[in-house]
Amino acid sequence: MKELSSSYSTYCRDLWDGFAIMKNGNIFCCCHLGPSRVGNIHQSLLSEIVNSEALVLHRQESLDGRLGCYDTCNLVDKGLRPGPRIETRIRYNDCRRLHISFGESCNIRCIRCEHPGRHRKDGILLDSEVLVKNVDISPFEEIILQGGEPLTIPSCLRFMNYLEEVKKKYTLLTNGLLIDARMADRLARYAKAVSISINGASKKTHEIVNLGSCFETVTRNIGLLREARMRRGSGLIVHGRMTLVPQNVHEIPSFIESYSDMGFDRIDFGYDRSTVPQFLAENPLLTESLRKGIADALVNSDSERMNLRRLEQLGLLKI
């Protein structure tokens, strides 16, 4: 157990609360593959990896202010601090988050997304049987399933069957194209949330960013989820996610204003780290216009239903 000084500065809760499992079975602490690989479920039980040498070392680095991936990370809550005393070894039963990437197979090709190209090269998909055998899911309260497009990946569908059999709710990250009435009913019964990558507030922008998608199909399927939720009386959360790229940043205010009409209960934002910060820096007039438009949109919107951290990181929220 280590007594913390007030000077430490790289605390990341992800090192203590869960794991991200990649398509090849490699295990990290977050979906950005940081700080480094800490194990592989083809070689070890996840419960044996919880205090692996690499993971304990990274926890110590985090407490000592030496976590290398911290400064450039846009996932970590940098205002979060632990209690005055914290251990670098934890109990497996205290883990809460499990993020599983089944592969990069996808039915569309979003700009700036490398998943389809990588899948054509290696075709690797995570084996659901290995997951069931080597991952005790009983402690986890947040189980996130993603691809590529997870609904195109048979092993993800089989793992969904398993979660449903053992009565574990999950969050599905999807582009929304394959949610027909039957899938909507299934998700209303068994999922905790469905997060749909809409990436635009209009048909034109959505279909520019999500190449191969159809805006009308996605919005119709959002409606199917809401209808199934009402019919089932479930607590399913229909979540909208807008990942920012230079081609869609102009629609941030419109998305804030219209997300409820689109059928979303909650929204959040991501951004392409390789292009968006530089694009905003090179276009100061647009950036200032966005700040004003976002501020105006927030006046008549429920900010409690939005995660605006990424907009704050990009300097788009007026202080």
Side-chain angles (χ1 to χ4, degrees):
M1 185 177 289
K2 177 178 176 63
E3 184 111 17
L4 298 180
S5 72
S6 59
S7 62
Y8 79 96
S9 58
T10 60
Y11 172 67
C12 174
R13 182 172 59 187
D14 287 357
L15 294 168
W16 279 264
D17 80 347
F19 304 94
I21 303 177
M22 299 297 110
K23 63 182 183 179
N24 56 5
N26 282 338
I27 299 170
F28 296 83
C29 293
C30 80
C31 59
H32 279 187
L33 311 186
S36 73
R37 188 182 80 97
V38 296
N40 187 292
I41 61 164
H42 291 280
Q43 301 163 358
S44 307
L45 300 177
L46 187 60
S47 58
E48 297 171 345
I49 297 169
V50 67
N51 288 313
S52 68
E53 182 178 350
L55 189 43
V56 170
L57 174 62
H58 289 319
R59 291 180 188 135
Q60 191 66 66
E61 291 171 340
S62 179
L63 298 180
D64 290 343
R66 297 183 292 111
L67 189 63
C69 57
Y70 185 89
D71 287 344
T72 59
C73 183
N74 67 348
L75 293 177
V76 64
D77 182 351
K78 295 182 179 179
L80 192 64
R81 295 291 182 264
R85 297 177 69 85
I86 188 169
E87 297 181 2
T88 56
R89 299 180 66 85
I90 66 172
R91 298 189 314 156
Y92 183 74
N93 286 341
D94 290 333
C95 294
R96 293 294 176 262
R97 173 186 50 82
L98 186 62
H99 194 139
I100 307 173
S101 298
F102 282 87
E104 297 176 286
S105 172
C106 195
N107 54 343
I108 62 173
R109 183 171 57 87
C110 296
I111 58 177
R112 306 300 308 173
C113 180
E114 299 177 357
H115 285 186
R118 288 195 294 246
H119 182 71
R120 285 193 295 272
K121 289 181 180 179
D122 63 36
I124 296 173
L125 299 173
L126 186 61
D127 188 336
S128 58
E129 292 184 6
V130 174
L131 270 177
V132 172
K133 178 181 177 182
N134 288 349
V135 178
D136 174 8
I137 63 167
S138 59
F140 298 102
E141 298 173 350
E142 182 182 7
I143 301 174
I144 302 169
L145 312 179
Q146 74 165 72
E149 171 49 50
L151 295 182
T152 69
I153 301 176
S155 59
C156 180
L157 295 170
R158 288 193 293 271
F159 193 68
M160 287 165 59
N161 289 339
Y162 169 70
L163 293 175
E164 292 160 9
E165 289 170 3
V166 298
K167 296 181 170 50
K168 273 285 186 179
K169 295 280 189 177
Y170 54 85
T171 293
L172 183 74
L173 309 188
T174 176
N175 60 42
L177 283 172
L178 299 178
I179 301 174
D180 57 14
R182 183 173 180 180
M183 179 58 69
D185 186 70
R186 176 180 182 177
L187 294 169
R189 290 181 67 189
Y190 298 115
K192 177 180 180 180
V194 176
S195 180
I196 295 177
S197 299
I198 194 78
N199 297 337
S202 68
K203 172 181 172 66
K204 179 180 178 180
T205 299
H206 170 81
E207 293 179 4
I208 286 174
V209 177
N210 288 20
L211 291 171
S213 184
C214 173
F215 188 72
E216 291 86 356
T217 299
V218 174
T219 53
R220 180 199 68 198
N221 294 348
I222 294 168
L224 291 177
L225 285 170
R226 295 182 66 86
E227 291 168 9
R229 177 177 67 182
M230 182 176 295
R231 187 169 58 250
R232 287 283 178 183
S234 81
L236 176 72
I237 297 170
V238 183
H239 189 279
R241 180 174 179 82
M242 184 175 181
T243 298
L244 303 177
V245 290
Q247 292 85 347
N248 68 4
V249 292
H250 64 285
E251 287 200 349
I252 299 171
S254 298
F255 187 55
I256 290 172
E257 291 172 340
S258 64
Y259 78 87
S260 182
D261 293 335
M262 295 168 73
F264 294 122
D265 304 310
R266 299 179 179 275
I267 59 170
D268 75 346
F269 297 86
Y271 62 87
D272 178 32
R273 292 185 292 173
S274 67
T275 59
V276 173
Q278 181 177 351
F279 177 76
L280 293 175
E282 293 173 349
N283 293 274
L285 293 179
L286 171 63
T287 301
E288 185 55 36
S289 175
L290 281 173
R291 289 194 188 106
K292 184 179 185 306
I294 291 167
D296 291 344
L298 288 172
V299 169
N300 297 314
S301 302
D302 184 358
S303 61
E304 295 298 317
R305 296 166 62 192
M306 310 177 204
N307 184 337
L308 302 175
R309 183 191 304 169
R310 304 294 173 74
L311 300 187
E312 182 179 8
Q313 291 171 353
L314 291 169
L316 293 176
L317 295 186
K318 281 193 171 183
I319 299 175

